[in-house]
Amino acid sequence: MKKIKINGGKELKGTIRISGAKNSAVALVPASLLSDGIVTIDNIPNISDIDALNEILEFLGAKVVRDKDRMIIDQTSLENKEIPESKAKKLRASYYFMSALLGKYKHVEMYFPGGCSIGARPIDQTLKGFRALGAEVIEEGNKFTIDAKELTGAEVSLDMPSVGATINTILVAVKAKGTTTILNAAKEPEIVNVATFLNNMGAKITGAGTSEITIKGVNKLGNGFAEVIPDRIEAGTYVIAGALMGNSLKIENIIPEHIESLTLKLKEMNVPIKVHEDNLIVSRCEGMKSVNIKTQGYPGFATDLQQPMTSLLVYANGTSTLEETIYENRFQNVAFLNSMGADIVIDGRKIYIKGPKKLKGKEIVATDLRAGACLVLAGLKAEGQTVIKEVEHILRGYENIIQKLQNVGADIILVDE
Ligand code: EPU
């Protein structure tokens, strides 16, 4: 069992370079199947979620070459096979294969995807998109058999701006006949990254990054190239680390606009932070002010930074509130923070964090990816040793987290015991 051990209280100084965005890369890789040629994707993060997708690609017969952060995918010998449930349930993003294969072959058989246990996470909006374009969906337990005689462009109005449903509808519409319009689409930067990639292969997508996206179907897509955008959630996590323990900690390779909802909150708390064109410098701050935060779709405060942010709010003066509007079960970090000395009360979808409190190292568990990130941050400042179990969740989404933190002065190791 892998564990992370942290001896807290070490100043963080130097530079952390941000890797490619997990949530972009995990969509770009399956999207590559729509190409009728060869695609190259640069700045791929080295995380286990990508390894899981790589396995699925190879299972389907794609030839994949990985060289550092570059991935070259040749799907000229692809076969439309049923992806085994054991592979599909390793991650949420496996459902991008559902739409890419349906878009390419008009038939797909696949299982319900996996992903962090942070709420119900249905896929009804994705299926709504498939059905609107003319596909018939048969659900048998966890298995979906989806078939379309023809995929025809349509208007798809999403009940909520779901990232996954927006990307899945784009993927299935790219080669459909006629024009598809997605209303109430999600506006996350990862969607723009995927649309730019597909357009680069010959797709005709406009409006990505807004709530109305139009896709004019094309018959063929050529070779493709994409560069994964910097990971705004990884960046935000290390910015929070800097606010906890930084001494002019530099976070580089960022798109400042993508993390503005976070940096504005940190400024409101009095955290010293200087934002430059593609980097920022952050230092710790005594006497932080409490704040109120509500998670929202982009450009609002990202749900994926809600748990990491909790470890900072523990040290703010007064009562902060954090309201989670996206997921119903994203507070599993709270009990562990409380066991370390925090005073946090959960009331439905809202938590009240009374500060400032001092945390003490404990043995705790990473129940999901961002809960794990929250606990790493807590451990960086806590007095004494923090031991985090079930860290596989963290390694799914943060490239070289141990080395990146060690390089700036953290006392953190990964052990297998
Ligand atoms: N929802 C539905 N029906 C659907 C789709 C979504 O009810 O068909 C609901 C979900 O239950 C949830 C909300 O809508 O309450 C948002 O779901 P969304 O589809 O936006 O999430 P996702 O596409 O499953 C992606 C990221 C998440 C991130 C959300 C932010 C990937 C692989 N995952 O999830 O990332 O929190 O967008 O909205 O891109 C993470 O990185 O830790 C993570 C969980």
Side-chain angles (χ1 to χ4, degrees):
M1 281 300 234
K2 285 186 178 151
K3 291 181 186 168
I4 288 177
K5 289 188 177 172
I6 309 168
N7 289 310
K10 301 282 183 291
E11 181 175 277
L12 304 180
K13 201 171 162 45
T15 302
I16 297 181
R17 190 171 173 80
I18 299 307
S19 305
K22 167 181 92 80
N23 289 345
S24 259
V26 297
L28 291 166
V29 168
S32 70
L33 295 193
L34 286 165
S35 162
D36 298 299
I38 295 171
V39 306
T40 304
I41 309 176
D42 276 357
N43 204 27
I44 291 271
N46 187 8
I47 51 175
S48 59
D49 265 10
I50 293 292
D51 300 336
L53 294 176
N54 199 347
E55 255 185 48
I56 298 179
L57 281 175
E58 286 177 345
F59 169 81
L60 293 171
K63 293 191 193 83
V64 185
V65 178
R66 281 174 80 175
D67 179 18
K68 298 195 188 101
D69 66 357
R70 169 168 286 188
M71 198 162 177
I72 301 173
I73 307 164
D74 175 351
Q75 48 271 310
T76 45
S77 50
L78 203 71
E79 268 181 81
N80 187 12
K81 292 194 283 186
E82 177 185 310
I83 297 168
E85 186 169 14
S86 58
K87 294 193 194 302
K89 72 176 186 201
K90 274 195 183 161
L91 74 171
R92 177 78 172 169
S94 63
Y95 71 168
Y96 293 135
F97 281 108
M98 216 185 234
S99 51
L101 291 171
L102 180 63
K104 190 166 180 132
Y105 298 108
K106 300 191 176 70
H107 176 85
V108 63
E109 288 179 47
M110 234 195 97
Y111 290 86
F112 197 84
C116 284
S117 159
I118 50 180
R121 310 191 81 181
I123 63 166
D124 56 303
Q125 298 303 301
T126 285
L127 300 179
K128 182 179 181 179
F130 294 168
R131 288 187 174 112
L133 269 75
E136 191 196 348
V137 181
I138 298 170
E139 289 185 50
E140 284 164 299
N142 275 346
K143 191 177 167 188
F144 296 84
T145 304
I146 309 172
D147 206 52
K149 283 199 182 60
E150 183 145 71
L151 290 164
T152 312
E155 189 172 280
V156 180
S157 180
L158 297 178
D159 296 353
M160 77 280 293
S162 152
V163 173
T166 302
I167 294 179
N168 277 323
T169 308
I170 293 175
L171 296 182
V172 86
V174 157
K175 289 185 164 177
K177 216 170 154 191
T179 301
T180 298
T181 309
I182 309 175
L183 304 173
N184 197 23
K187 296 185 279 204
E188 270 68 2
E190 292 74 21
I191 294 166
V192 180
N193 207 184
V194 172
T196 309
F197 175 47
L198 292 166
N199 282 344
N200 180 270
M201 291 185 220
K204 294 205 163 105
I205 305 163
T206 53
T210 76
S211 55
E212 186 171 328
I213 300 176
T214 304
I215 307 116
K216 284 190 183 146
V218 297
N219 288 329
K220 238 178 124 49
L221 294 180
N223 293 340
F225 173 77
E227 180 160 352
V228 182
I229 56 171
D231 194 315
R232 63 197 167 94
I233 308 303
E234 187 200 17
T237 304
Y238 291 127
V239 173
I240 296 168
L244 283 164
M245 290 309 298
N247 176 0
S248 295
L249 181 70
K250 185 174 180 184
I251 313 296
E252 72 173 18
N253 191 34
I254 61 167
I255 299 176
E257 190 191 332
H258 289 176
I259 51 168
E260 201 173 22
S261 57
L262 171 70
T263 50
L264 288 176
K265 274 293 162 197
L266 295 179
K267 284 178 181 168
E268 194 183 325
M269 294 174 74
N270 286 339
V271 173
I273 181 162
K274 279 202 196 96
V275 181
H276 304 117
E277 203 183 333
D278 68 349
N279 67 76
L280 65 74
I281 313 276
V282 56
S283 294
R284 68 174 174 271
C285 159
E286 301 305 328
M288 284 180 292
K289 288 206 305 206
S290 53
V291 284
N292 301 315
I293 296 175
K294 191 174 179 174
T295 63
Q296 259 149 4
Y298 187 82
F301 195 94
T303 168
D304 297 342
L305 285 175
Q306 175 266 106
Q307 292 164 304
M309 189 68 179
T310 312
S311 18
L312 183 66
L313 296 179
V314 165
Y315 293 93
N317 284 308
T319 301
S320 298
T321 63
L322 247 172
E323 189 177 347
E324 172 57 64
T325 69
I326 315 281
Y327 295 110
E328 60 274 19
N329 189 22
R330 216 172 198 185
F331 291 135
Q332 292 178 78
N333 51 324
V334 166
F336 296 111
L337 288 177
N338 281 343
S339 76
M340 295 171 82
D343 181 354
I344 308 173
V345 175
I346 305 179
D347 180 14
R349 291 269 191 121
K350 204 166 180 177
I351 56 173
Y352 293 82
I353 307 133
K354 214 184 267 176
K357 291 279 183 263
K358 285 201 167 131
L359 300 185
K360 282 210 168 106
K362 272 261 166 166
E363 185 162 291
I364 47 185
V365 181
T367 52
D368 55 83
L369 168 60
R370 308 301 171 187
C374 161
L375 299 179
V376 169
L377 293 173
L380 291 175
K381 192 166 172 107
E383 192 189 311
Q385 191 173 67
T386 299
V387 179
I388 309 176
K389 299 199 290 190
E390 297 184 24
V391 298
E392 285 73 14
H393 289 294
I394 304 174
L395 306 177
R396 276 187 41 219
Y398 287 88
E399 176 177 272
N400 293 336
I401 185 167
I402 306 294
Q403 293 88 325
K404 285 188 184 189
L405 285 168
Q406 280 174 351
N407 289 346
V408 293
D411 182 348
I412 179 170
I413 50 167
L414 182 70
V415 292
D416 210 344
E417 56 188 34

